[in-house]
Amino acid sequence: MPAATSGIIRFEGATKVFPGRGKGAEVRAVDEVTLDIREGEIFGVIGQSGAGKSTLVRLINALERTTGGDVVVDGVSLGSLSEARLRPVRAGIGMVFQQFNLLASRTVSGNIAYPLEVAGWPRAKREARVAELLDFVGLADKAGVYPSTLSGGQKQRVGIARALATNPRILLADEATSALDPETTRDVLDLLQRVNRELGITVVVITHEMDVVRSICHRVAVMERGRVVEVGEAYQVFSSPRHDTTRRFVATALRDRPSPEVLARLRTRHTGHIVTVGVDEVAGSSAVLTRTLREHGVDGTVVFGGITEVAERPYGSLTVELVGDGGSVEAAVAALRAVTWVDDHGTAADPRKVRGVGQQDAPDADPAGPPDPGAPGEGLPGNGPFGGQTWLTGGIDL
Amino acid sequence: MNWDYLTPLLWEAAGQTAYMVLITLLIGGFLGLALGLGLYLTRPGNLLQHRFVFAVLNLAVNIVRPIPFIIFLVALGPLTRAVIGSTIGIEAFTFAMCFMATFVFARLVEQNLVSIDPGVVEAARAMGASPFRIVRTVLVPEALAPLILGYTFLFVGVLDMSAIGGYLGAGGLGDFAIVQGYRQYDWAVTAVVVVIIVVIVQAVQWLGNGLARRALRR
Ligand SMILES: Nc1ncnc2c1ncn2[C@@H]1O[C@H](COP(=O)(O)OP(=O)(O)OP(=O)(O)O)[C@@H](O)[C@H]1O
Ligand SMILES: [Mg+2]
């Protein structure tokens, strides 16, 4: 985790209003955003299509100018600069794009050399730097080929090399992995992580995939209709999402919680009391779960769930079928609630609707149902045995 | 048919055509490229967007381009006299050709530039490139192949325009075909000129295609 706390990028009530197209109404693409991005961190911006993510990030290198408020990059207020004065600022900020945006008329080397030409580097220095960058992104053998012959992942590596050419302190990545398959996405994310760790570059990652945030971001901002509705440590946002939009995104990255359809299928196989129990670093672990159930004389069978890593810390949930006498199940659930969040789905005979963190959308959720389970439990230090990704489905006896 | 008499005249006519066409391609090509870039750049949403300038340029191109060249020659008369000092002769005629070629080529250039992915322009901008640098290092190189083909197309159009040079006493191959062939009922002379023109057009088209293919080899 980066130690520095100074905001290398500061949004101060930044607003971008586009005039309406034709006779349409104006669009408030970014609406009074105040936000600090710290030096040395990987900062994620997530939101649905049209939320204003691209516009927000384009304010950082002034590809779009604010219509209100200001953006301060490295102490320089962009709002007051002329177009010509902005060019050197832009040259000091690298940017990678979803569609790569490489010049088809130039070879891989030529593309990487482009920003160096703009910055006026002499030829010899340019060539040395290009070779260095090709090495860094692992494309030394592709120097002389044209981009059209490269795969998507290779193109994005060229894009990243090009963005790093002039030693920027900030790298902006607008949906850098959205055009790539999962495996290539992993490679490119690893590369971005290396850029952050080895070169100390502040990385701003725009995405609509929570998985990207989960795997590399230190902090994240959630955008909706031009506004930042939630911002915080990635782990905090995952473990206790406060906004509905955030909850939905979290659910897409953590497929550990049963959807209503999955739940319906589970009920046909498991007739007992089904609950989903949160597992995270602080609030609980399967050991706590096992102990609590034993203390109450309740049998638990894991029927669904998984624990994964968020910001390199364990996080997830287990869905368990509980079988016990009389009020023992209710007592066990109450005891669990003291240490973590619990979604109580009831039994097949007496189902309960919960507005769980895990459910994609629950417009029909019972408003009088159990309290929002999204809040993390308190106390009990985690002793979670789950390190990497442990995915469980089916029946495993605890 | 008296080729001893006609051959020197044919050479003279070919020289006149070469003069008109080459100067027009040079000047009209250059100004057309500039005007086309102007149209592209000032278009709303583009690098140097400017509603008013774009509207003026666009209107000018739209007005001039569809005018039949023979009428355009007459309409341009006063301007031709002001610039060249006369409304007849090869200079006056070439002036009008340059004018028309500029507008024709401007539209071709603009259409080819529009097809460039705006993403690469954006990337260049994000790297701090100035608009002039983007024109030089992104727009022209990225659209080079279609620009070459457009220029080849312009050549054919210009050759076509030059055929009516006789109306202003500019001479040229077209004039030769009419004066020495058509009016003398000497179809062979006309046929020879037609063959010469077809061969030239074919050669230039072949050259243009080849260069465009080379530019596309990436
Ligand atoms: N140049 C523009 N002119 C007018 N409206 C624009 C312009 N650019 C973006 N918008 C509008 O601003 C809003 C935010 O767009 P933006 O591209 O920032 O969203 P996004 O979150 O990046 O979406 P996506 O995930 O689809 O890329 C949208 O409603 C969009 O239509
Ligand atoms: Mg976007």
Side-chain angles (χ1 to χ4, degrees):
Chain A
M1 190 86 356
T5 50
S6 63
I8 188 170
I9 302 164
R10 299 210 315 269
F11 291 91
E12 297 173 348
T15 300
K16 175 69 186 186
V17 179
F18 288 109
R21 294 192 174 109
K23 290 200 161 46
E26 59 176 33
V27 180
R28 296 184 81 79
V30 172
D31 198 358
E32 290 190 28
V33 168
T34 297
L35 189 69
D36 262 27
I37 297 177
R38 299 171 194 155
E39 174 141 29
E41 72 179 345
I42 303 184
F43 189 87
V45 179
I46 191 163
Q48 268 140 11
S49 185
K53 310 178 294 290
S54 295
T55 310
L56 184 81
V57 84
R58 288 156 53 86
L59 291 175
I60 298 172
N61 58 358
L63 287 178
E64 301 288 1
R65 307 292 303 266
T66 47
T67 52
D70 199 4
V71 179
V72 181
V73 176
D74 229 348
V76 179
S77 155
L78 303 186
S80 55
L81 293 186
S82 66
E83 180 69 19
R85 297 276 302 283
L86 280 174
R87 272 175 226 142
V89 175
R90 288 192 190 121
I93 301 175
M95 189 165 193
V96 288
F97 306 84
Q98 178 173 1
Q99 297 305 331
F100 324 121
N101 294 351
L102 302 177
L103 294 168
S105 56
R106 285 178 174 233
T107 60
V108 165
S109 296
N111 269 283
I112 300 175
Y114 189 87
L116 301 172
E117 290 167 23
V118 173
W121 288 38
R123 174 181 289 272
K125 268 184 79 187
R126 270 194 330 246
E127 280 168 5
R129 179 68 180 147
V130 169
E132 201 174 282
L133 287 158
L134 282 169
D135 233 35
F136 182 77
V137 300
L139 285 177
D141 54 328
K142 299 287 184 188
V145 311
Y146 285 91
S148 60
T149 63
L150 299 179
S151 71
Q154 291 171 328
K155 283 181 191 163
Q156 199 55 293
R157 284 165 183 279
V158 177
I160 291 172
R162 178 175 71 172
L164 295 176
T166 54
N167 293 308
R169 292 177 62 206
I170 299 170
L171 181 70
L172 310 176
D174 190 347
E175 303 277 9
T177 59
S178 300
L180 306 175
D181 61 62
E183 197 174 327
T184 319
T185 293
R186 190 63 252 168
D187 290 346
V188 168
L189 291 181
D190 284 346
L191 181 56
L192 289 177
Q193 210 159 26
R194 263 178 71 211
V195 165
N196 173 254
R197 284 198 188 134
E198 293 174 20
L199 310 176
I201 294 174
T202 307
V203 182
V204 182
V205 176
I206 294 196
T207 181
H208 60 266
E209 293 167 294
M210 202 63 181
D211 250 342
V212 172
V213 175
R214 185 181 67 72
S215 43
I216 65 166
C217 293
H218 301 126
R219 293 199 308 141
V220 60
V222 183
M223 282 192 82
E224 191 179 75
R225 273 182 262 116
R227 294 181 166 268
V228 169
V229 294
E230 188 159 353
V231 56
E233 302 285 330
Y235 192 78
Q236 205 59 47
V237 169
F238 265 88
S239 54
S240 55
R242 281 175 291 130
H243 197 275
D244 276 348
T245 307
T246 317
R247 265 185 255 276
R248 276 198 295 277
F249 276 118
V250 169
T252 60
L254 304 174
R255 283 144 302 206
D256 58 332
R257 272 148 252 196
S259 65
E261 298 77 44
V262 170
L263 200 57
R265 279 195 293 280
L266 288 176
R267 287 199 203 283
T268 64
R269 273 176 276 147
H270 305 278
T271 50
H273 201 115
I274 294 178
V275 295
T276 300
V277 183
V279 177
D280 64 36
E281 191 181 56
V282 213
S285 71
S286 63
V288 176
L289 178 59
T290 314
R291 178 150 33 83
T292 309
L293 295 183
R294 199 182 305 124
E295 279 166 12
H296 290 83
V298 172
D299 277 340
T301 306
V302 175
V303 296
F304 194 86
I307 291 103
T308 183
E309 270 198 331
V310 174
E312 302 180 341
R313 288 186 269 172
Y315 188 74
S317 74
L318 297 173
T319 297
V320 188
E321 178 193 26
L322 302 178
V323 179
D325 309 326
S328 63
V329 168
E330 306 291 338
V333 169
L336 284 171
R337 281 229 163 94
V339 293
T340 185
W341 61 264
V342 177
D343 274 357
D344 189 345
H345 305 291
T347 62
D350 175 23
R352 281 173 223 178
K353 272 188 179 169
V354 288
R355 190 157 163 277
V357 196
Q359 289 176 353
Q360 293 280 342
D361 252 322
D364 56 343
D366 181 4
D372 195 307
E378 288 159 32
L380 262 189
N383 53 350
F386 297 94
Q389 298 211 1
T390 317
W391 292 94
L392 306 169
T393 47
I396 296 173
D397 283 330
L398 280 170
Chain B
M1 215 172 15
N2 181 354
W3 283 111
D4 286 343
Y5 164 70
L6 287 175
T7 306
L9 290 180
L10 179 63
W11 275 111
E12 193 192 354
Q16 286 160 341
T17 293
Y19 174 89
M20 294 186 277
V21 168
L22 291 179
I23 288 192
T24 304
L25 280 177
L26 215 67
I27 295 177
F30 179 77
L31 294 179
L33 183 65
L35 183 56
L37 281 165
L39 269 171
Y40 172 81
L41 293 171
T42 58
R43 178 182 279 275
N46 284 0
L47 271 182
L48 303 175
Q49 60 173 318
H50 196 293
R51 243 170 238 293
F52 180 73
V53 173
F54 175 75
V56 168
L57 297 180
N58 200 38
L59 188 70
V61 172
N62 280 344
I63 288 177
V64 171
R65 228 166 48 106
I67 302 178
F69 187 55
I70 194 154
I71 294 167
F72 180 75
L73 274 180
V74 180
L76 200 66
L79 186 62
T80 310
R81 182 185 298 282
V83 176
I84 306 291
S86 158
T87 54
I88 54 163
I90 194 164
E91 272 82 24
F93 186 75
T94 306
F95 174 75
M97 288 222 305
C98 288
F99 218 93
M100 183 54 110
T102 298
F103 285 84
V104 170
F105 194 46
R107 189 58 90 196
L108 286 173
V109 169
E110 190 218 6
Q111 279 164 359
N112 289 327
L113 293 178
V114 166
S115 65
I116 294 178
D117 175 8
V120 297
V121 177
E122 166 133 324
R125 216 156 79 79
M127 289 183 271
S130 65
F132 179 63
R133 179 185 287 275
I134 292 176
V135 167
R136 249 184 336 111
T137 59
V138 178
L139 296 180
V140 173
E142 289 290 298
L144 191 58
L147 285 177
I148 291 171
L149 291 177
Y151 198 64
T152 309
F153 182 85
L154 180 70
F155 170 84
V156 178
V158 168
L159 196 62
D160 187 15
M161 280 194 264
S162 76
I164 58 168
Y167 281 100
L168 290 191
L173 286 172
D175 188 43
F176 178 84
I178 288 167
V179 175
Q180 306 299 337
Y182 182 69
R183 295 211 186 122
Q184 314 289 330
Y185 304 103
D186 192 343
W187 299 109
V189 170
T190 311
V192 166
V193 173
V194 167
V195 168
I196 289 173
I197 288 179
V198 167
V199 167
I200 291 173
V201 167
Q202 285 300 323
V204 169
Q205 190 68 52
W206 175 82
L207 187 70
N209 288 348
L211 287 174
R213 205 171 316 117
R214 243 180 109 113
L216 260 189
R217 194 169 297 151
R218 25 171 97 149

